[in-house]
Amino acid sequence: DTAVSQTPKYLVTQMGNDKSIKCEQNLGHDTMYWYKQDSKKFLKIMFSYNNKELIINETVPNRFSPKSPDKAHLNLHINSLELGDSAVYFCASSQGLRKETQYFGPGTRLLVL
Amino acid sequence: EDKVVQSPLSLVVHEGDTVTLNCSYEVTNFRSLLWYKQEKKAPTFLFMLTSSGIEKKSGRLSSILDKKELFSILNITATQTGDSAVYLCAVEAQSGGSNYKLTFGKGTLLTVNP
């Protein structure tokens, strides 16, 4: 059984488009995250949601917006895509802020042309 | 600005060797230090360290934190080819109220040759 799943796995799109990446976890966790890993493998946290409340929002452009319809889902919407948005986006979840319970999804590789 | 620096950036060893990976940090309102292993895809959690001098151990891996000197080390003994991965260090810091910041280092690429 998949603990944290993301769709799509790969996403190729043109500059200027709007796209969404979906994330679902079936672990019963109450905290979910989005991370971005660039081409140099540098990992950076973007957002963290706990009980549907945003508890961390690093300095990401406001073109990126997380949407959490319920505790099991945290989707990432990206408007007006730019070349620099090309990266692998990882979703993760944990119980509270306990990182020892954190599981990552398989990642979504986004390529903006 | 919070900083996390890992060294070396890459390391090649032979099976059976022991390796030590380093992570130093400069953050305000330190909360915890985390180690992750990233193979081809998503990172997996290894350790979370909050107190100085207490070694965390999991099989051949162990880690310790020095909050006075602001660094941590990750040791891997009797390395195996399956240990080949990028090892990421991250530091959590409180940033007001219930918010926190998480800063990652650039990782150490470990290659274990048979």
Side-chain angles (χ1 to χ4, degrees), chain A residues 45-64:
Chain A
I45 191 165
M46 299 174 73
F47 302 104
S48 173
Y49 258 77
N50 177 258
N51 287 324
K52 296 180 69 176
E53 297 293 327
L54 186 64
I55 58 168
I56 183 170
N57 182 6
E58 286 296 307
T59 50
V60 298
N62 58 14
R63 299 181 294 104
F64 290 80

Side-chain angles (χ1 to χ4, degrees), chain A residues 25 28-33 47-56 66 68 70-74 92-98, chain B residues 31 98-100:
Chain A
Q25 54 96 3
H29 286 165
D30 60 3
T31 303
M32 295 184 73
Y33 312 79
F47 302 104
S48 173
Y49 258 77
N50 177 258
N51 287 324
K52 296 180 69 176
E53 297 293 327
L54 186 64
I55 58 168
I56 183 170
S68 180
D70 55 55
K71 273 173 39 170
H73 297 84
L74 183 65
S93 73
S94 66
Q95 188 54 37
L97 297 177
R98 293 172 51 209
Chain B
R31 182 183 162 127
S98 60
N99 289 342
Y100 71 98

Side-chain angles (χ1 to χ4, degrees), chain B residues 3 5 25-26 42 45 47 49 51 55 57 66-68 78 99 111:
Chain B
K3 278 170 46 175
V5 178
Y25 61 91
E26 290 177 30
F45 172 85
F47 298 111
L49 302 154
S51 302
E55 187 185 49
K57 206 166 164 59
D66 186 329
K67 285 167 76 172
K68 186 178 174 191
N99 289 342
T111 304

